Amino acid sequence: MKLLIDADSAIYKAGLSNETRKYVAMDEDGGTLAEFRYKKDIEAWVTTQEKPESILVARSREVGPLGYSIGNLKRLCNKMIAAPFPEGTEITYQLYIQGEDNFRHDIYPDYKANRNSADKPVHTEEMLAYLRDVWGAITVDFEETDDRVSYLHYMAPKETTCIVTIDKDLKNTPGWNYNYDKEELHYVTEKEAELHFARQLLKGDKGDNIPNLPRVGDKTAEKILPEWRDDWLDVVKAEYQKHYPDDIEWTKKLDMVGSLLWMRRAPEEIWDMEYEFKREIK
C-alpha cells in the first residue's frame, strides 16, 4: 500500500502550535484596553464600546524556536505514515507539498482571496525545506497538492494506494482515505465521492472563497440531495436554474464552481458539465 500524503496541512499545524497569536485593542494613546485570541471576539467586543471608532486593533504573535516547529512537524509526519492497515501490509509513502501557481486563479481570480499570507507560520520556508530534504517531499506547481494526490490515487491499480489528508475536498476522490488528525481510515465509494461533490456544487466552499448558491449551506444541500442518486447533476442544474434564470449565466456559474471544486482524476483535467457526461466511471 502506497500512502499519497498531502502534507500542506502539517505545515500549518506544526507551525501554528509553536506560535501564540492575539488581538489587542488599544486606545488612541496606545494603551491596552483588551486582548483576545480570536479576531471575531475582539470585533464583537469593539461593537459594545461607547466609542468604537476610537479603538485601534492590532495583531501580535510570539514565536517559539525553530527547533520546536521542526519537532512538531516530525511528529506529524510519523503520524501521517501510520495508517492502520492490517498487520503485514507493506507500506510505502510519498509526501507532496504546494509549490508555485494554481490554475484555479486563472478560472476565478478571487479563489482563496480570503486567505491572508500573513497567517502563514513564521517558520514555513524552513519546514518546507525540512520536508524536501529529510522526507523527500515533492513540490507541486501549477495545480494544488490535492489534485496531484487525487489523480495519482485514482489512476493507480485499485486498492494499492491511500490518500492521507485532513482536507475534506479529497472526499471527492473514491478509494482509501486516511485522516491522520482523527486517525480514521475510510474507503470512499464512487457514490460517496459523487454525493460529496454534488453537495459542494450547491454550498460552495467558504474556506476557499468558492461561491455557493444563495442561502444554501450544509443543511440545505443535504436536504436537496439527502442521498446519492444517478441524476444528481440534473438536480444540481435545476437548483442553479432557479437562482439564475438566464441559461448562459447559470451554465457559466456551474461550470466555474465545478472546475474549482473538482479534484483531478487525470493530469490537466478540468471539470465542466460536458466533461461530466463523457468521463468514464472507474
Side-chain angles (χ1 to χ4, degrees), residues 226-257:
E227 59 186 12
W228 179 87
R229 45 191 289 179
D230 59 6
D231 64 343
W232 62 265
L233 184 56
D234 291 333
V235 174
V236 170
K237 288 165 60 178
E239 292 297 320
Y240 270 76
Q241 287 174 301
K242 285 181 187 177
H243 293 282
Y244 307 106
D246 182 271
D247 285 346
I248 295 177
E249 183 181 13
W250 78 257
T251 301
K252 286 184 176 180
K253 285 185 180 293
L254 178 53
D255 282 345
M256 180 193 73
V257 171

mmCIF file of all heavy atoms in Angstrom, residues 226-257:
data_model
loop_
_atom_site.group_PDB
_atom_site.id
_atom_site.type_symbol
_atom_site.label_atom_id
_atom_site.label_comp_id
_atom_site.label_asym_id
_atom_site.label_seq_id
_atom_site.Cartn_x
_atom_site.Cartn_y
_atom_site.Cartn_z
ATOM 1 N N PRO A 226 -30.382 14.380 -0.162
ATOM 2 C CA PRO A 226 -30.194 13.611 1.078
ATOM 3 C C PRO A 226 -29.377 12.343 0.888
ATOM 4 O O PRO A 226 -28.807 11.814 1.838
ATOM 5 C CB PRO A 226 -31.625 13.294 1.515
ATOM 6 C CG PRO A 226 -32.436 13.385 0.262
ATOM 7 C CD PRO A 226 -31.788 14.435 -0.578
ATOM 8 N N GLU A 227 -29.331 11.842 -0.340
ATOM 9 C CA GLU A 227 -28.554 10.642 -0.636
ATOM 10 C C GLU A 227 -28.176 10.653 -2.110
ATOM 11 O O GLU A 227 -28.679 11.466 -2.902
ATOM 12 C CB GLU A 227 -29.363 9.389 -0.315
ATOM 13 C CG GLU A 227 -30.671 9.301 -1.081
ATOM 14 C CD GLU A 227 -31.528 8.128 -0.646
ATOM 15 O OE1 GLU A 227 -31.232 7.519 0.392
ATOM 16 O OE2 GLU A 227 -32.513 7.827 -1.363
ATOM 17 N N TRP A 228 -27.261 9.746 -2.470
ATOM 18 C CA TRP A 228 -26.827 9.683 -3.874
ATOM 19 C C TRP A 228 -27.970 9.235 -4.772
ATOM 20 O O TRP A 228 -28.815 8.409 -4.390
ATOM 21 C CB TRP A 228 -25.676 8.692 -4.018
ATOM 22 C CG TRP A 228 -25.199 8.556 -5.448
ATOM 23 C CD1 TRP A 228 -24.270 9.318 -6.072
ATOM 24 C CD2 TRP A 228 -25.660 7.606 -6.423
ATOM 25 N NE1 TRP A 228 -24.104 8.925 -7.366
ATOM 26 C CE2 TRP A 228 -24.957 7.860 -7.611
ATOM 27 C CE3 TRP A 228 -26.607 6.586 -6.401
ATOM 28 C CZ2 TRP A 228 -25.151 7.124 -8.775
ATOM 29 C CZ3 TRP A 228 -26.809 5.848 -7.562
ATOM 30 C CH2 TRP A 228 -26.082 6.114 -8.725
ATOM 31 N N ARG A 229 -28.031 9.804 -5.948
ATOM 32 C CA ARG A 229 -28.976 9.379 -6.984
ATOM 33 C C ARG A 229 -28.296 9.549 -8.334
ATOM 34 O O ARG A 229 -27.432 10.429 -8.493
ATOM 35 C CB ARG A 229 -30.278 10.176 -6.911
ATOM 36 C CG ARG A 229 -30.100 11.661 -6.738
ATOM 37 C CD ARG A 229 -31.391 12.380 -6.400
ATOM 38 N NE ARG A 229 -32.295 12.427 -7.538
ATOM 39 C CZ ARG A 229 -33.510 12.995 -7.501
ATOM 40 N NH1 ARG A 229 -33.953 13.515 -6.370
ATOM 41 N NH2 ARG A 229 -34.269 13.009 -8.561
ATOM 42 N N ASP A 230 -28.654 8.726 -9.289
ATOM 43 C CA ASP A 230 -27.904 8.740 -10.545
ATOM 44 C C ASP A 230 -28.138 10.000 -11.371
ATOM 45 O O ASP A 230 -27.351 10.305 -12.271
ATOM 46 C CB ASP A 230 -28.190 7.478 -11.375
ATOM 47 C CG ASP A 230 -29.664 7.317 -11.713
ATOM 48 O OD1 ASP A 230 -30.456 8.235 -11.409
ATOM 49 O OD2 ASP A 230 -30.022 6.269 -12.277
ATOM 50 N N ASP A 231 -29.196 10.746 -11.053
ATOM 51 C CA ASP A 231 -29.443 12.001 -11.774
ATOM 52 C C ASP A 231 -29.064 13.215 -10.934
ATOM 53 O O ASP A 231 -29.666 14.281 -11.046
ATOM 54 C CB ASP A 231 -30.903 12.087 -12.208
ATOM 55 C CG ASP A 231 -31.870 12.136 -11.030
ATOM 56 O OD1 ASP A 231 -31.456 11.782 -9.902
ATOM 57 O OD2 ASP A 231 -33.036 12.525 -11.223
ATOM 58 N N TRP A 232 -28.038 13.063 -10.084
ATOM 59 C CA TRP A 232 -27.652 14.155 -9.179
ATOM 60 C C TRP A 232 -27.298 15.434 -9.925
ATOM 61 O O TRP A 232 -27.579 16.538 -9.453
ATOM 62 C CB TRP A 232 -26.486 13.728 -8.286
ATOM 63 C CG TRP A 232 -25.210 13.381 -8.996
ATOM 64 C CD1 TRP A 232 -24.785 12.158 -9.372
ATOM 65 C CD2 TRP A 232 -24.186 14.293 -9.420
ATOM 66 N NE1 TRP A 232 -23.562 12.218 -9.990
ATOM 67 C CE2 TRP A 232 -23.170 13.529 -10.029
ATOM 68 C CE3 TRP A 232 -24.017 15.678 -9.322
ATOM 69 C CZ2 TRP A 232 -22.009 14.097 -10.556
ATOM 70 C CZ3 TRP A 232 -22.858 16.258 -9.854
ATOM 71 C CH2 TRP A 232 -21.875 15.464 -10.457
ATOM 72 N N LEU A 233 -26.690 15.314 -11.113
ATOM 73 C CA LEU A 233 -26.320 16.515 -11.850
ATOM 74 C C LEU A 233 -27.559 17.266 -12.321
ATOM 75 O O LEU A 233 -27.584 18.500 -12.323
ATOM 76 C CB LEU A 233 -25.416 16.165 -13.036
ATOM 77 C CG LEU A 233 -24.890 17.363 -13.834
ATOM 78 C CD1 LEU A 233 -24.145 18.356 -12.934
ATOM 79 C CD2 LEU A 233 -23.971 16.888 -14.957
ATOM 80 N N ASP A 234 -28.604 16.540 -12.697
ATOM 81 C CA ASP A 234 -29.854 17.196 -13.097
ATOM 82 C C ASP A 234 -30.460 17.962 -11.923
ATOM 83 O O ASP A 234 -31.013 19.054 -12.099
ATOM 84 C CB ASP A 234 -30.854 16.164 -13.614
ATOM 85 C CG ASP A 234 -30.442 15.551 -14.944
ATOM 86 O OD1 ASP A 234 -29.717 16.239 -15.705
ATOM 87 O OD2 ASP A 234 -30.809 14.395 -15.214
ATOM 88 N N VAL A 235 -30.348 17.395 -10.732
ATOM 89 C CA VAL A 235 -30.859 18.075 -9.533
ATOM 90 C C VAL A 235 -30.082 19.364 -9.293
ATOM 91 O O VAL A 235 -30.663 20.420 -9.024
ATOM 92 C CB VAL A 235 -30.752 17.149 -8.299
ATOM 93 C CG1 VAL A 235 -31.144 17.896 -7.021
ATOM 94 C CG2 VAL A 235 -31.625 15.914 -8.479
ATOM 95 N N VAL A 236 -28.762 19.289 -9.412
ATOM 96 C CA VAL A 236 -27.915 20.464 -9.206
ATOM 97 C C VAL A 236 -28.218 21.527 -10.266
ATOM 98 O O VAL A 236 -28.353 22.722 -9.958
ATOM 99 C CB VAL A 236 -26.423 20.069 -9.246
ATOM 100 C CG1 VAL A 236 -25.532 21.311 -9.275
ATOM 101 C CG2 VAL A 236 -26.082 19.197 -8.046
ATOM 102 N N LYS A 237 -28.352 21.100 -11.510
ATOM 103 C CA LYS A 237 -28.650 22.044 -12.593
ATOM 104 C C LYS A 237 -29.972 22.760 -12.341
ATOM 105 O O LYS A 237 -30.094 23.975 -12.566
ATOM 106 C CB LYS A 237 -28.692 21.302 -13.931
ATOM 107 C CG LYS A 237 -27.329 20.860 -14.425
ATOM 108 C CD LYS A 237 -27.427 19.830 -15.546
ATOM 109 C CE LYS A 237 -28.160 20.336 -16.751
ATOM 110 N NZ LYS A 237 -28.186 19.312 -17.844
ATOM 111 N N ALA A 238 -30.953 22.032 -11.863
ATOM 112 C CA ALA A 238 -32.268 22.624 -11.587
ATOM 113 C C ALA A 238 -32.171 23.706 -10.511
ATOM 114 O O ALA A 238 -32.830 24.752 -10.601
ATOM 115 C CB ALA A 238 -33.253 21.539 -11.161
ATOM 116 N N GLU A 239 -31.322 23.468 -9.503
ATOM 117 C CA GLU A 239 -31.146 24.463 -8.448
ATOM 118 C C GLU A 239 -30.465 25.716 -8.991
ATOM 119 O O GLU A 239 -30.834 26.845 -8.625
ATOM 120 C CB GLU A 239 -30.331 23.874 -7.291
ATOM 121 C CG GLU A 239 -31.037 22.791 -6.524
ATOM 122 C CD GLU A 239 -32.299 23.289 -5.838
ATOM 123 O OE1 GLU A 239 -32.283 24.427 -5.299
ATOM 124 O OE2 GLU A 239 -33.313 22.555 -5.841
ATOM 125 N N TYR A 240 -29.487 25.546 -9.860
ATOM 126 C CA TYR A 240 -28.830 26.707 -10.464
ATOM 127 C C TYR A 240 -29.804 27.498 -11.333
ATOM 128 O O TYR A 240 -29.794 28.737 -11.333
ATOM 129 C CB TYR A 240 -27.615 26.265 -11.294
ATOM 130 C CG TYR A 240 -26.339 26.208 -10.484
ATOM 131 C CD1 TYR A 240 -26.096 25.156 -9.602
ATOM 132 C CD2 TYR A 240 -25.370 27.208 -10.578
ATOM 133 C CE1 TYR A 240 -24.931 25.100 -8.842
ATOM 134 C CE2 TYR A 240 -24.205 27.169 -9.825
ATOM 135 C CZ TYR A 240 -24.001 26.107 -8.955
ATOM 136 O OH TYR A 240 -22.847 26.071 -8.193
ATOM 137 N N GLN A 241 -30.652 26.800 -12.066
ATOM 138 C CA GLN A 241 -31.619 27.469 -12.922
ATOM 139 C C GLN A 241 -32.636 28.266 -12.113
ATOM 140 O O GLN A 241 -33.123 29.299 -12.573
ATOM 141 C CB GLN A 241 -32.325 26.442 -13.800
ATOM 142 C CG GLN A 241 -31.437 25.891 -14.916
ATOM 143 C CD GLN A 241 -32.107 24.778 -15.685
ATOM 144 O OE1 GLN A 241 -32.481 23.759 -15.115
ATOM 145 N NE2 GLN A 241 -32.264 24.972 -16.983
ATOM 146 N N LYS A 242 -32.948 27.804 -10.910
ATOM 147 C CA LYS A 242 -33.871 28.548 -10.040
ATOM 148 C C LYS A 242 -33.296 29.910 -9.671
ATOM 149 O O LYS A 242 -33.997 30.921 -9.651
ATOM 150 C CB LYS A 242 -34.131 27.764 -8.749
ATOM 151 C CG LYS A 242 -35.045 26.574 -8.874
ATOM 152 C CD LYS A 242 -35.212 25.928 -7.499
ATOM 153 C CE LYS A 242 -35.976 24.614 -7.585
ATOM 154 N NZ LYS A 242 -36.065 23.970 -6.236
ATOM 155 N N HIS A 243 -32.017 29.928 -9.375
ATOM 156 C CA HIS A 243 -31.386 31.157 -8.902
ATOM 157 C C HIS A 243 -30.895 32.044 -10.038
ATOM 158 O O HIS A 243 -30.790 33.266 -9.873
ATOM 159 C CB HIS A 243 -30.223 30.812 -7.968
ATOM 160 C CG HIS A 243 -30.648 30.185 -6.679
ATOM 161 N ND1 HIS A 243 -31.165 30.909 -5.635
ATOM 162 C CD2 HIS A 243 -30.648 28.892 -6.265
ATOM 163 C CE1 HIS A 243 -31.461 30.105 -4.622
ATOM 164 N NE2 HIS A 243 -31.152 28.870 -4.988
ATOM 165 N N TYR A 244 -30.578 31.448 -11.179
ATOM 166 C CA TYR A 244 -30.051 32.203 -12.314
ATOM 167 C C TYR A 244 -30.831 31.806 -13.564
ATOM 168 O O TYR A 244 -30.410 30.913 -14.315
ATOM 169 C CB TYR A 244 -28.552 31.919 -12.501
ATOM 170 C CG TYR A 244 -27.740 32.125 -11.249
ATOM 171 C CD1 TYR A 244 -27.257 31.031 -10.523
ATOM 172 C CD2 TYR A 244 -27.459 33.408 -10.778
ATOM 173 C CE1 TYR A 244 -26.511 31.221 -9.360
ATOM 174 C CE2 TYR A 244 -26.716 33.598 -9.624
ATOM 175 C CZ TYR A 244 -26.251 32.499 -8.917
ATOM 176 O OH TYR A 244 -25.525 32.686 -7.774
ATOM 177 N N PRO A 245 -31.981 32.447 -13.796
ATOM 178 C CA PRO A 245 -32.867 32.047 -14.906
ATOM 179 C C PRO A 245 -32.223 32.128 -16.291
ATOM 180 O O PRO A 245 -32.599 31.388 -17.191
ATOM 181 C CB PRO A 245 -34.034 33.044 -14.791
ATOM 182 C CG PRO A 245 -34.008 33.499 -13.361
ATOM 183 C CD PRO A 245 -32.564 33.521 -12.973
ATOM 184 N N ASP A 246 -31.247 33.024 -16.460
ATOM 185 C CA ASP A 246 -30.595 33.142 -17.758
ATOM 186 C C ASP A 246 -29.748 31.903 -18.034
ATOM 187 O O ASP A 246 -28.884 31.528 -17.243
ATOM 188 C CB ASP A 246 -29.709 34.396 -17.780
ATOM 189 C CG ASP A 246 -29.041 34.602 -19.123
ATOM 190 O OD1 ASP A 246 -27.936 34.056 -19.316
ATOM 191 O OD2 ASP A 246 -29.631 35.285 -19.980
ATOM 192 N N ASP A 247 -29.983 31.246 -19.180
ATOM 193 C CA ASP A 247 -29.307 29.984 -19.493
ATOM 194 C C ASP A 247 -27.789 30.110 -19.491
ATOM 195 O O ASP A 247 -27.076 29.260 -18.950
ATOM 196 C CB ASP A 247 -29.765 29.460 -20.862
ATOM 197 C CG ASP A 247 -31.166 28.874 -20.814
ATOM 198 O OD1 ASP A 247 -31.654 28.648 -19.691
ATOM 199 O OD2 ASP A 247 -31.763 28.656 -21.875
ATOM 200 N N ILE A 248 -27.285 31.169 -20.104
ATOM 201 C CA ILE A 248 -25.836 31.331 -20.196
ATOM 202 C C ILE A 248 -25.243 31.584 -18.819
ATOM 203 O O ILE A 248 -24.193 31.038 -18.461
ATOM 204 C CB ILE A 248 -25.489 32.490 -21.159
ATOM 205 C CG1 ILE A 248 -25.939 32.137 -22.577
ATOM 206 C CG2 ILE A 248 -23.989 32.785 -21.123
ATOM 207 C CD1 ILE A 248 -25.701 33.230 -23.591
ATOM 208 N N GLU A 249 -25.921 32.388 -17.999
ATOM 209 C CA GLU A 249 -25.393 32.740 -16.685
ATOM 210 C C GLU A 249 -25.287 31.522 -15.776
ATOM 211 O O GLU A 249 -24.242 31.277 -15.165
ATOM 212 C CB GLU A 249 -26.272 33.805 -16.019
ATOM 213 C CG GLU A 249 -25.717 34.259 -14.675
ATOM 214 C CD GLU A 249 -26.592 35.294 -14.000
ATOM 215 O OE1 GLU A 249 -27.738 35.483 -14.444
ATOM 216 O OE2 GLU A 249 -26.127 35.899 -13.017
ATOM 217 N N TRP A 250 -26.344 30.724 -15.661
ATOM 218 C CA TRP A 250 -26.288 29.596 -14.730
ATOM 219 C C TRP A 250 -25.307 28.533 -15.205
ATOM 220 O O TRP A 250 -24.627 27.894 -14.396
ATOM 221 C CB TRP A 250 -27.677 29.002 -14.469
ATOM 222 C CG TRP A 250 -28.272 28.105 -15.519
ATOM 223 C CD1 TRP A 250 -29.236 28.421 -16.422
ATOM 224 C CD2 TRP A 250 -27.968 26.720 -15.735
ATOM 225 N NE1 TRP A 250 -29.536 27.337 -17.210
ATOM 226 C CE2 TRP A 250 -28.785 26.275 -16.808
ATOM 227 C CE3 TRP A 250 -27.095 25.806 -15.144
ATOM 228 C CZ2 TRP A 250 -28.735 24.966 -17.288
ATOM 229 C CZ3 TRP A 250 -27.050 24.506 -15.621
ATOM 230 C CH2 TRP A 250 -27.861 24.097 -16.686
ATOM 231 N N THR A 251 -25.203 28.363 -16.523
ATOM 232 C CA THR A 251 -24.263 27.377 -17.057
ATOM 233 C C THR A 251 -22.827 27.769 -16.736
ATOM 234 O O THR A 251 -22.017 26.940 -16.303
ATOM 235 C CB THR A 251 -24.443 27.244 -18.578
ATOM 236 O OG1 THR A 251 -25.779 26.835 -18.873
ATOM 237 C CG2 THR A 251 -23.482 26.205 -19.138
ATOM 238 N N LYS A 252 -22.506 29.040 -16.943
ATOM 239 C CA LYS A 252 -21.154 29.515 -16.660
ATOM 240 C C LYS A 252 -20.824 29.397 -15.177
ATOM 241 O O LYS A 252 -19.715 29.007 -14.801
ATOM 242 C CB LYS A 252 -20.996 30.965 -17.127
ATOM 243 C CG LYS A 252 -20.881 31.130 -18.634
ATOM 244 C CD LYS A 252 -20.636 32.577 -19.000
ATOM 245 C CE LYS A 252 -20.424 32.729 -20.499
ATOM 246 N NZ LYS A 252 -20.186 34.160 -20.869
ATOM 247 N N LYS A 253 -21.790 29.744 -14.334
ATOM 248 C CA LYS A 253 -21.548 29.685 -12.890
ATOM 249 C C LYS A 253 -21.324 28.250 -12.433
ATOM 250 O O LYS A 253 -20.415 27.968 -11.641
ATOM 251 C CB LYS A 253 -22.715 30.321 -12.127
ATOM 252 C CG LYS A 253 -22.740 31.836 -12.178
ATOM 253 C CD LYS A 253 -23.841 32.401 -11.305
ATOM 254 C CE LYS A 253 -23.850 33.926 -11.368
ATOM 255 N NZ LYS A 253 -22.649 34.525 -10.755
ATOM 256 N N LEU A 254 -22.137 27.329 -12.911
ATOM 257 C CA LEU A 254 -21.992 25.938 -12.506
ATOM 258 C C LEU A 254 -20.663 25.368 -12.992
ATOM 259 O O LEU A 254 -19.961 24.674 -12.244
ATOM 260 C CB LEU A 254 -23.160 25.108 -13.037
ATOM 261 C CG LEU A 254 -23.115 23.607 -12.738
ATOM 262 C CD1 LEU A 254 -22.914 23.337 -11.251
ATOM 263 C CD2 LEU A 254 -24.397 22.926 -13.233
ATOM 264 N N ASP A 255 -20.307 25.645 -14.237
ATOM 265 C CA ASP A 255 -19.028 25.155 -14.756
ATOM 266 C C ASP A 255 -17.849 25.728 -13.971
ATOM 267 O O ASP A 255 -16.877 25.026 -13.682
ATOM 268 C CB ASP A 255 -18.877 25.507 -16.235
ATOM 269 C CG ASP A 255 -19.683 24.586 -17.143
ATOM 270 O OD1 ASP A 255 -20.119 23.526 -16.664
ATOM 271 O OD2 ASP A 255 -19.871 24.924 -18.320
ATOM 272 N N MET A 256 -17.955 27.019 -13.603
ATOM 273 C CA MET A 256 -16.863 27.641 -12.852
ATOM 274 C C MET A 256 -16.723 27.014 -11.467
ATOM 275 O O MET A 256 -15.623 26.614 -11.056
ATOM 276 C CB MET A 256 -17.105 29.140 -12.699
ATOM 277 C CG MET A 256 -15.994 29.838 -11.921
ATOM 278 S SD MET A 256 -16.413 31.520 -11.385
ATOM 279 C CE MET A 256 -17.572 31.192 -10.050
ATOM 280 N N VAL A 257 -17.839 26.912 -10.745
ATOM 281 C CA VAL A 257 -17.795 26.351 -9.396
ATOM 282 C C VAL A 257 -17.308 24.902 -9.436
ATOM 283 O O VAL A 257 -16.482 24.481 -8.627
ATOM 284 C CB VAL A 257 -19.175 26.449 -8.715
ATOM 285 C CG1 VAL A 257 -19.193 25.680 -7.402
ATOM 286 C CG2 VAL A 257 -19.534 27.907 -8.465
#
